[in-house]
Amino acid sequence: MNKKLSVILAATVLLGLFLGGCSGDKQDLIKIGHKNYTESRLFGQLYSVLLETNTKYKTTVTEFGGSQLVLAALKSGDIDLYPDYTGTLYATVLKKEGEKDPEKVFKMVKDFMEGPDYNFIIGKPFGYNNTYTLSLPQDIAKKYNLEKISDLVTAGPELRMGGTMEFLARADGLPGVKELYGFTFKEEKGMDPGIRYTAIENGNIDVTDAFSTDGKLKEFNMKTLEDDKNFFPPYYCLTVYNGSFQKKFPGAMEAVEKLAGQISEDDMQEMNFQVDSKGIPERKVAEDFLRKKGLIK
């Protein structure tokens, strides 16, 4: 064999080894998706840390602008898993409304999403419900003895409501909750989400809408009123997997599902607070939480 041919053969073997290594790496890479807000970004990092610590797999994390984009990416195989909420899937994918029982909503979502239209896998809920709330400063709650939304029947006419335009307009927002509970406010103002808490702090409004795990609720020491008539739909967070996930990544689902039942509203609110108000990176917050729960060392 001449020297030139030996060099060509050696180069071919090296190229083959390189490509083979790339192929193997690709098969061991789990592609995580999430939406474009803090809570979803945190789950991207929770998944990544869990998987890279407890399995042989490496991960990438990609952000998407909304539900339809991330669902399309999961269906096409561009990502392998992402976090979502039972109420979101129930309303946006199943196109349904009205059911408030958390277990029934979960079963309907699971049965449909695991059916032939999507062939996804629906994981177990993490434990917390990130649904709409009505919240107000502790001193105002104490002054009017407010613990639950029903208490607004007597106190509401003396209070000023400042909420997002969407909440003030949607049937499953303020109009619906007022109709069910039978209360009114002294005044209602629509405002951008970012200025609601400044308006609270400045005394321009008394009550606002929020999601139960908002970090701002902790930052501003807000009182959240109990939805004692269960008006707001359940929004339990869980993992949505591509249908081929278990086959492609043996052992990976078991690692992710360690989060099932492990996160309370207070836990999620604290994590959001750490990122949004204290500026701590999502991955550091995720690592600290998982270590605290004993899910990583």
Side-chain angles (χ1 to χ4, degrees), residues 109-126:
V109 166
K110 182 177 175 65
D111 289 348
F112 183 79
M113 301 294 284
E114 292 185 348
D117 288 345
Y118 284 91
N119 193 33
F120 290 161
I121 301 169
I122 300 296
K124 295 178 181 177
F126 302 128

Side-chain angles (χ1 to χ4, degrees), residues 130-202:
N130 187 18
T131 192
Y132 271 125
T133 67
L134 290 175
S135 301
L136 65 165
Q138 296 282 353
D139 58 340
I140 295 177
K142 187 174 182 180
K143 177 181 177 180
Y144 292 98
N145 196 28
L146 295 171
E147 293 290 336
K148 53 190 185 296
I149 295 178
S150 290
D151 296 333
L152 289 172
V153 172
T154 54
E158 298 185 49
L159 301 175
R160 298 159 300 165
M161 168 72 186
T164 58
M165 298 300 295
E166 184 178 21
F167 183 74
L168 266 58
R170 284 174 50 158
D172 61 348
L174 188 60
V177 75
K178 283 168 57 180
E179 182 179 355
L180 176 64
Y181 282 92
F183 68 84
T184 58
F185 284 120
K186 178 181 179 180
E187 184 181 355
E188 295 174 13
K189 300 178 182 179
M191 54 184 59
D192 291 333
I195 67 170
R196 289 173 298 157
Y197 292 97
T198 303
I200 285 279
E201 191 174 38
N202 292 340

Side-chain angles (χ1 to χ4, degrees), residues 148-254:
K148 53 190 185 296
I149 295 178
S150 290
D151 296 333
L152 289 172
V153 172
T154 54
E158 298 185 49
L159 301 175
R160 298 159 300 165
M161 168 72 186
T164 58
M165 298 300 295
E166 184 178 21
F167 183 74
L168 266 58
R170 284 174 50 158
D172 61 348
L174 188 60
V177 75
K178 283 168 57 180
E179 182 179 355
L180 176 64
Y181 282 92
F183 68 84
T184 58
F185 284 120
K186 178 181 179 180
E187 184 181 355
E188 295 174 13
K189 300 178 182 179
M191 54 184 59
D192 291 333
I195 67 170
R196 289 173 298 157
Y197 292 97
T198 303
I200 285 279
E201 191 174 38
N202 292 340
N204 295 326
I205 59 172
D206 305 305
V207 185
T208 190
D209 63 303
F211 287 103
S212 58
T213 60
D214 283 355
K216 293 289 185 184
L217 294 174
K218 180 179 176 69
E219 180 181 346
F220 287 85
N221 191 30
M222 300 283 281
K223 171 77 174 181
T224 295
L225 300 180
E226 177 193 350
D227 181 12
D228 50 310
K229 293 188 178 181
N230 297 314
F231 170 78
F232 294 116
Y235 282 83
Y236 283 86
C237 195
L238 45 71
T239 306
V240 187
Y241 303 88
N242 185 284
S244 62
F245 189 83
Q246 284 179 298
K247 184 176 180 181
K248 284 174 64 178
F249 307 110
M253 186 176 293
E254 288 80 357

Side-chain angles (χ1 to χ4, degrees), residues 26-31 56-57 77-80 242-252:
K26 200 168 183 180
Q27 290 173 357
D28 288 343
L29 183 68
I30 295 177
K31 296 166 289 186
K56 66 178 182 178
Y57 304 109
D78 289 338
I79 60 171
D80 300 300
N242 185 284
S244 62
F245 189 83
Q246 284 179 298
K247 184 176 180 181
K248 284 174 64 178
F249 307 110

